[in-house]
Every structure is written in structure tokens, then in C-alpha cells.
Amino acid sequence: MEPKQILKQKIKGVLIGCAMGDAMGMPTECWSQRQIKNRYPAGVRTYMESPETAVAGRKMQAGSVTDDTINTVMVLNSIVELNGKLDARHYVNKLAEWDKNSEISEYVSGPSTRRALDKIAHGIPIEEAGREGTTNGASMKISPIGIISDYRNMEELIDHVYQICMPTHNTNIALSGACAVAAAVSYALSPSPTMEGLWQAAVQAVQGSQGKGFDYPSPSLLWRMERARKIVKESARDAAITRLYEEIGTGMETIETIPAVFAVVELANGDPREAAVISANIGGDTDTIGAISAAICGGMKPEFDPEETAFLERVNHLDFDGLAEKILPYGAG
């Protein structure tokens, strides 16, 4: 297979993985591990409709994605429409339009995003609107930046991340988490990625992004990531999942989501479907942890069941091959 076709397959794997983790985690979003185990004693291993006790009372059919995938596709389309360039205003205009017209934005959009969009609508400059955005809304949508950026040119990658995240998540903690994800995706698209190399790329991105964004108070992201990896190294799979939930946290704040994401990637040994399954059962922000971790894994191991891929496309009106083809000319690989 030609190098460009290999790269396209890996890009497609990132996009399928994002949707897979998002859709599988959708029914259990914001549930505790105990709630998940009580409702699904055998665990969540496939796509299910949202239960009657779903977050915000939303009703979504099995296999439906949420804002994680929707925003990822939105960023990808913004890049393509600008011929590989990045423009914060262009992206945020698309986001505001979707938020206004979408039937599901009210119960899938995150708090930082909604707060920033409201500020922008009231005339606050986009450079100021995201100064309190600390949640994982920056990281969940950033994989297209990893596709068009090279982790070996970290300064440029970090600048690309900033352009997309600045309007809604202009804090150091959110930007650092997003940089870690973008670097991991970029590295996953390399010819022979390893788990050790993936962690190194993520750590370098967090270190390099210090000083970007407003200095919002936060614990150390690097310490949490290192602690999460230690848990994975010294614990059996099920014990690690419990410990990550109890000791690191799996909520929507970046300081919890990102360490959990990289721990899930390692627990799954880079397998996107296994990352989606682990995330759906881990508790907390299951769909976002799933979307990010399975996207990274999808770049590392882009092998998927064709029927499962077709199901995700049909339910969500997505075309993974078409999306990969559109952004391929701008890929850094």
C-alpha cells in the first residue's frame, strides 16, 4: 500500500475510533461506576440507546454520537474549507451556528463551550471568552489538529491547538490537555507507533504548552498522567479501572479526563474497540474519554469491523472515508 493510502487508513481510523468511543459511552455518560454495574451487570460492550435516566433526560438511539464527534467533524471541515489553514473566528462561527440550530446541542454541549458562546454573543472578544474554560471540550475535538500537525514540530502543533481552543478553552490546563491529545494523534499516525513513544509525545506537548492561555489554578497534569500510568502498570485490568475512577477521577474536567484517557489507551493496548468498551464502563465522562482514547487507538491500529463502521455511519449520517479523503491533502504524515 502506498504511504498516502496508509496515512488515509490511519486518519480514517482516528475518525471511526472517535465516533465508536463516543457512541458506546453515550448511554452511561455522567454515571458512577456503581450505577453502570447495577444497570449493566455484564458491562457495556455494544451500542445501546440512552436509558430513561440518561443525562439531561436526553433520548438518543443506539450508536448515536454526541458533541465529541460533532465538534471533531466541525474542526475537520473548518480546516478543509480554509484549505488547510486555521482561523479561530471561522471555527467559532460554525460552532455558534450549530449550537443555535441543532436539536441536540442543548443536552450534549459542555459547560465551558456554552458559557463562551454566550459571552461571544454578548460582544466579549474571542480572546477573552474562554478564560474560564477548563473542561475537556478542548481535548475532545482536537484530533484533526493532530492529523495536520507534526509532533516533531511541537511549537507549531501547540500553536495550531491554540487557534482552535482559544475561543472556548483559553486556559493553560485545557490547552495542555488538548496539546497532549493532538501530539498523541500525530504520533499515532506515524509508521510504527509504540506505547512508550506515545506517552513521550504527550508529555512533551504538556511541557511545551506551559504559558499558553490564562493561568487558571489547577493541579499538575503531568503528575496526574504519571500517576495514572503507574496505576495501569501495577494493577490488573479491572482493578486499574476502579482505581482510575477513584484516585484520578473520570469527570469532565481536563485534569481528570486526560490522565484517564492515556491510561485507557495503555489498558487497551492501543485497540480502539477495547478502549471504547473500557471507557463506557469506567464512569464519569464516559463518552468523551471513549471518543479521545479510541481516536488515538484508531490511529495506532486502524482495523475495524466493516459492519460496525457502516452502522455508525448510518445512524449518524457520517462518511468516514469521505472525511479522511478531504483532510488527507493537509495531513502531516
Side-chain angles (χ1 to χ4, degrees):
M1 190 181 293
E2 293 293 323
K4 275 292 183 184
Q5 289 307 305
I6 295 174
L7 178 59
K8 178 183 173 181
Q9 183 183 33
K10 282 175 155 283
I11 291 171
K12 186 176 176 180
V14 170
L15 300 172
I16 297 171
C18 175
M20 175 180 286
D22 188 4
M24 199 172 294
M26 176 272 292
T28 55
E29 182 185 5
C30 293
W31 282 20
S32 68
Q33 280 193 1
R34 179 175 297 181
Q35 286 176 298
I36 295 170
K37 289 176 181 177
N38 286 344
R39 179 62 183 263
Y40 307 107
V44 178
R45 299 201 63 86
T46 189
Y47 306 101
M48 296 176 294
E49 65 182 7
S50 55
E52 66 279 358
T53 53
V55 59
R58 65 189 185 192
K59 303 290 183 183
M60 301 180 75
Q61 71 179 102
S64 296
V65 300
T66 72
D67 59 331
D68 304 284
T69 305
I70 291 167
N71 275 270
T72 297
V73 173
M74 202 179 300
V75 172
L76 185 152
N77 284 332
S78 179
I79 292 168
V80 171
E81 289 170 18
L82 294 173
N83 297 313
K85 304 298 181 183
L86 296 171
D87 182 88
R89 175 63 70 177
H90 185 270
Y91 164 69
V92 84
N93 285 345
K94 291 175 75 71
L95 180 61
E97 182 180 359
W98 171 78
D99 186 70
K100 178 181 178 181
N101 298 317
S102 171
E103 295 179 356
I104 65 171
S105 64
E106 183 177 354
Y107 52 81
V108 300
S109 289
S112 295
T113 297
R114 297 192 67 84
R115 183 167 58 242
L117 287 177
D118 183 65
K119 288 182 178 181
I120 292 169
H122 286 84
I124 302 297
I126 61 172
E127 296 81 5
E128 297 284 335
R131 65 182 302 159
E132 296 175 344
T134 59
T135 53
N136 55 28
S139 301
M140 72 175 187
K141 63 193 176 191
I142 210 63
S143 57
I145 299 302
I147 292 171
I148 68 166
S149 305
D150 190 334
Y151 70 96
R152 292 165 296 188
N153 186 349
M154 196 62 74
E155 185 176 351
E156 182 180 71
L157 181 145
I158 291 167
D159 183 64
H160 287 170
V161 170
Y162 182 74
Q163 287 301 313
I164 291 298
C165 298
M166 175 262 291
T168 57
H169 294 80
N170 196 0
T171 61
N172 182 244
I173 179 59
L175 289 164
S176 292
C179 287
V181 173
V185 169
S186 174
Y187 176 77
L189 296 178
S190 64
S192 301
T194 64
M195 199 62 65
E196 191 62 39
L198 188 84
W199 278 91
Q200 288 178 5
V203 167
Q204 288 169 10
V206 173
Q207 292 172 335
S209 63
Q210 297 309 299
K212 281 283 188 181
F214 287 95
D215 190 13
Y216 203 91
S218 170
S220 167
L221 179 58
L222 283 179
W223 188 93
R224 289 271 185 106
M225 290 172 67
E226 290 165 0
R227 179 63 183 171
R229 194 177 196 196
K230 185 173 187 293
I231 288 171
V232 171
K233 293 285 190 182
E234 66 186 21
S235 307
R237 178 185 180 279
D238 289 348
I241 291 171
T242 299
R243 290 186 64 190
L244 289 169
Y245 174 80
E246 293 180 347
E247 298 176 31
I248 301 299
T250 57
M252 69 176 61
E253 288 293 331
T254 299
I255 193 64
E256 296 187 10
T257 300
I258 296 307
V261 159
F262 283 93
V264 167
V265 170
E266 182 140 358
L267 273 175
N269 194 29
D271 181 275
R273 198 177 198 286
E274 185 62 17
V277 169
I278 293 170
S279 300
N281 293 279
I282 202 168
D285 204 351
T286 50
D287 61 328
T288 300
I289 293 172
I292 302 172
S293 63
I296 294 169
C297 291
M300 298 180 77
K301 298 181 179 180
E303 296 89 26
F304 297 88
D305 181 339
E307 291 186 7
E308 189 168 16
T309 299
F311 170 72
L312 288 168
E313 289 184 317
R314 185 170 62 253
V315 170
N316 299 290
H317 309 290
L318 290 168
D319 176 6
F320 297 120
D321 192 76
L323 289 167
E325 184 69 32
K326 285 200 302 184
I327 200 168
L328 181 61
Y330 313 111

